[in-house]
């Protein structure tokens, strides 16, 4: 359920109303997630981020907290059957993530939401703490990242976890 002060993304809902965040009309949205719009701000995705990094949407929160979604394709739905391969393939998304994968502690769990299998990762023990949710639909990989400095992660964990677990892929293509 959507909480007070939270907004959807990817053309989902903002304040319970259809939106075109990221330039995507609500009826064409492939994913959605919630951020605290009172303290988080949408960041424009530049062409290089989109073209090279596959970044589809970005938000910045207080204290260097961030959320962003990467889409890549085409991939086979079985791609997520090897969790280590999945996170390693995404570790080049930004330098801090590569450091967290190589030098930190990585754990993952599997979950199913609306019939779609996801891998949820937690990468800790370096300068930045990452939580990542990865799923495949329409032959595309969707990876949603939530991150904060390790030094402030514990104080913000509930909000960051809520943002991560709000990520879902919609059934329309």
């Amino acid at each position: 359920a959507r909480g007070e002060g939270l907004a959807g993304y990817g053309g989902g809902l903002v304040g319970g109303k259809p939106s075109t965040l990221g330039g995507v009309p609500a009826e064409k949205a492939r994913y959605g997630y919630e951020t605290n719009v009172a303290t988080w701000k949408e960041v424009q995705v530049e062409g290089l981020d989109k073209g090279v990094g596959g970044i589809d949407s970005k938000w910045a929160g207080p204290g260097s907290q961030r959320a962003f979604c990467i889409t890549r394709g085409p991939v086979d739905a079985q791609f997520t059957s090897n969790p280590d391969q999945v996170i390693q393939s995404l570790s080049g998304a930004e330098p801090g993530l590569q450091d967290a994968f190589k030098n930190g502690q990585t754990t993952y769990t599997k979950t199913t939401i609306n019939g779609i299998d996801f891998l949820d990762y937690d990468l800790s023990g370096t300068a930045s703490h990452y939580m990542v949710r990865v799923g495949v639909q329409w032959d595309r990989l969707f990876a949603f990242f939530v991150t904060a400095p390790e030094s402030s992660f514990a104080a913000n964990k509930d909000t960051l976890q809520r943002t991560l677990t709000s990520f879902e892929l919609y059934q329309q293509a």
Side-chain angles (χ1 to χ4, degrees):
R2 297 196 185 280
E4 186 175 324
L6 297 176
Y9 194 77
L13 299 175
V14 176
K17 298 179 182 176
S19 171
T20 57
L21 289 172
V24 179
E27 66 274 5
K28 292 186 179 179
R30 291 186 171 212
Y31 64 88
Y33 57 86
E34 298 176 348
T35 60
N36 185 332
V37 295
T39 57
W40 288 61
K41 302 299 175 210
E42 185 178 13
V43 177
Q44 183 175 348
V45 176
E46 302 297 332
L48 188 61
D49 284 342
K50 177 69 173 168
V52 175
I55 296 175
D56 200 51
S57 63
K58 296 193 299 188
W59 285 75
S64 299
Q65 297 174 61
R66 295 178 297 126
F68 56 98
C69 186
I70 291 177
T71 62
R72 293 188 179 157
V75 296
D76 185 290
Q78 296 303 313
F79 182 70
T80 57
S81 65
N82 185 337
D84 290 333
Q85 177 186 354
V86 171
I87 198 65
Q88 186 174 6
S89 76
L90 294 169
S91 67
E94 66 175 33
L97 183 61
Q98 191 166 21
D99 181 46
F101 175 69
K102 285 185 175 181
N103 301 312
Q105 294 82 44
T106 302
T107 60
Y108 72 89
T109 58
K110 294 181 179 185
T111 187
T112 301
I113 301 167
N114 297 328
I116 301 167
D117 294 329
F118 288 93
L119 295 170
D120 287 351
Y121 294 89
D122 189 279
L123 295 91
S124 62
T126 59
S128 295
H129 192 123
Y130 291 86
M131 293 188 298
V132 186
R133 174 166 279 179
V134 180
V136 174
Q137 187 164 309
W138 310 291
D139 298 327
R140 294 196 65 77
L141 176 101
F142 293 83
F144 181 60
F145 297 77
V146 178
T147 183
E150 187 71 53
S151 60
S152 64
F153 179 80
N156 298 295
K157 183 178 180 180
D158 290 346
T159 299
L160 295 167
Q161 184 71 36
R162 183 175 177 179
T163 299
L164 179 76
T165 59
S166 73
F167 181 78
E168 63 180 291
L169 296 175
Y170 300 144
Q171 295 298 321
Q172 71 262 26

